[in-house]
Amino acid sequence: MNPLVNKQIHLAARPGGEPRVEHFRLVETPVPRPADGQVLVRHHYLSLDPYMRGRMNEGASYAPPQPLNEVMIGGTVGEVVDSCSARFEVGDTVLGMGGWQQYQVVDVSRSGSLQKVSGSQVPLSAYLGVLGMPGVTAWYGLLQVIAPKSGETLVVSAASGAVGSVVGQLAKIHGCRAVGIAGGPQKCRLVVDDYGFDACIDHKRYQDVDSLSAAIAQACPDGVDAVFENVGGIILDAVMQRCNAFARIALCGMIACYNGEPSPIRAPWLILVKRLQVEGFVISEHMEVWPEALRELGMLVGSGTLKYRETVAQGIERAPEAFIGLLKGANLGKQLVRLI
């Protein structure tokens, strides 16, 4: 790679349904030079996450839409390679929102723009997954929204993913029965054998709400007390049928409708009849919990108690393809792009 060239991926057009490679554009620009109070970061890893699909739409949401013909937004971890700031030295490893590109100049005078991290105890890539936004999302949604009690049954969808896998493991630590929902036998084996869930349901075996609901009933003989929802669609419909009275539902993601598919709740009256507590949350609105969450998650990862997996694509050119695969469930664990 020519060190004077910065390869970027821009959003070229807004998808009307499923994203395709042609919705993205590879752009080469000169590597920028930092000015006073700025640093130049060379990114080692890029995080790919389902929320990015929602921001590709133009409509109003909890965050502004991704602008066209600009670098796609995304979390990154990398190394300072040039510094005009007393706060950062060349060689510092840092976490930020560098986007889908190899280099970024960051104004470190802005609070929270860049965070120093250490790769001595865990790989740098972990700060984009289990020790990053997905891990903190799992921690907050389970412990603050659901507040599980020992002996309860929790169901988590997308259980083999970066968020769901942490949710189930934390639920087990807190004395719960953890039941996952994932797509395909390989993912279900991973959920049970590696992450220690009590059971995992392969949703690909069930094409309608009633049959999936029956499978949930078999895996949850005492009903469902808590739900960590990452998918929505028929999965949410099916699990709501098996919820006990006063069950808590943490709505983290609704990937089943990110491409614009209609996804009405089949039986909304169950929220009233079963007195369900349903709460949606966005982890970026709860920055105050991050230090506590990361301390606990760090100790669990360091001790080997909390396990995680990564799927890594090589090169910025592979980012669109890897992102499209993520939305279709092609990854195991956290989806990353290695940029070095």
Side-chain angles (χ1 to χ4, degrees):
M1 181 188 67
N2 184 344
L4 300 179
V5 173
N6 180 28
K7 293 184 179 181
Q8 306 173 329
I9 299 292
H10 291 195
L11 181 63
R14 301 196 187 280
E18 293 185 4
R20 301 186 302 275
V21 171
E22 53 263 34
H23 290 119
F24 303 91
R25 180 184 299 116
L26 177 65
V27 176
E28 294 186 358
T29 65
V31 173
R33 295 292 300 272
D36 288 345
Q38 297 180 333
V39 300
L40 175 65
V41 179
R42 182 185 183 189
H43 300 141
H44 289 198
Y45 289 94
L46 164 68
S47 173
L48 298 181
D49 300 280
Y51 78 83
M52 296 172 176
R53 175 61 188 89
R55 297 191 69 173
M56 294 170 72
N57 297 330
E58 199 167 17
S61 184
Y62 61 82
Q66 164 70 42
L68 291 175
N69 303 311
E70 293 187 16
V71 178
M72 280 285 295
I73 192 171
T76 50
V77 65
E79 178 185 1
V80 174
V81 293
D82 195 358
S83 177
C84 294
S85 167
R87 295 175 50 206
F88 290 86
E89 298 180 356
V90 171
D92 285 344
T93 47
V94 291
L95 176 70
M97 291 293 291
W100 294 27
Q101 58 182 338
Q102 294 169 314
Y103 292 88
Q104 184 198 29
V105 164
V106 183
D107 182 355
V108 294
S109 64
R110 293 188 299 108
S111 176
S113 59
L114 212 57
Q115 177 185 348
K116 292 182 184 180
V117 294
S118 172
S120 61
Q121 300 297 320
V122 297
L124 284 180
S125 58
Y127 291 102
L128 296 174
V130 66
L131 296 181
M133 180 270 291
V136 179
T137 297
W139 185 94
Y140 180 86
L142 179 69
L143 300 184
Q144 304 298 312
V145 177
I146 290 174
K149 303 177 183 66
S150 181
E152 290 187 323
T153 296
L154 173 131
V155 172
V156 54
S157 58
S160 67
V163 174
S165 60
V166 176
V167 172
Q169 292 179 81
L170 291 177
K172 291 297 297 178
I173 291 170
H174 285 82
C176 296
R177 175 176 174 81
V179 176
I181 299 176
Q186 180 186 15
K187 290 185 176 182
C188 286
R189 284 194 299 270
L190 175 68
V191 166
V192 174
D193 296 344
D194 286 24
Y195 298 142
F197 284 54
D198 295 283
C200 188
I201 299 163
D202 179 1
H203 68 80
K204 291 186 176 182
R205 296 179 57 194
Y206 309 97
Q207 302 304 312
D208 59 80
V209 172
D210 293 334
S211 61
L212 180 57
S213 181
I216 294 171
Q218 185 174 2
C220 306
D222 296 324
V224 177
D225 303 298
V227 181
F228 196 106
E229 186 56 67
N230 292 303
V231 177
I234 72 166
I235 290 178
L236 178 58
D237 286 332
V239 75
M240 281 177 60
Q241 290 188 7
R242 299 304 169 184
C243 281
N244 294 327
F246 306 105
R248 292 89 68 207
I249 301 176
L251 284 178
C252 171
M254 301 286 282
I255 197 171
C257 56
Y258 282 176
N259 288 323
E261 303 90 339
S263 187
I265 296 178
R266 175 181 176 179
W269 56 85
L270 291 175
I271 299 173
L272 172 61
V273 172
K274 298 190 177 191
R275 286 85 79 205
L276 304 180
Q277 175 184 308
V278 182
E279 181 175 342
F281 72 98
V282 178
I283 195 58
S284 60
E285 297 176 345
H286 303 280
M287 298 305 295
E288 74 282 355
V289 308
W290 282 60
E292 179 185 358
L294 290 175
R295 280 195 299 271
E296 182 173 334
L297 292 168
M299 288 188 292
L300 292 172
V301 171
S303 67
T305 303
L306 188 59
K307 299 177 173 60
Y308 66 96
R309 293 280 292 270
E310 297 173 341
T311 297
V312 183
Q314 180 62 49
I316 190 67
E317 297 88 349
R318 295 286 307 282
E321 177 187 348
F323 177 66
I324 293 167
L326 166 71
L327 296 178
K328 295 181 177 180
N331 59 302
L332 284 177
K334 176 63 188 172
Q335 178 65 62
L336 299 166
V337 181
R338 191 170 187 267
L339 302 178
I340 57 171

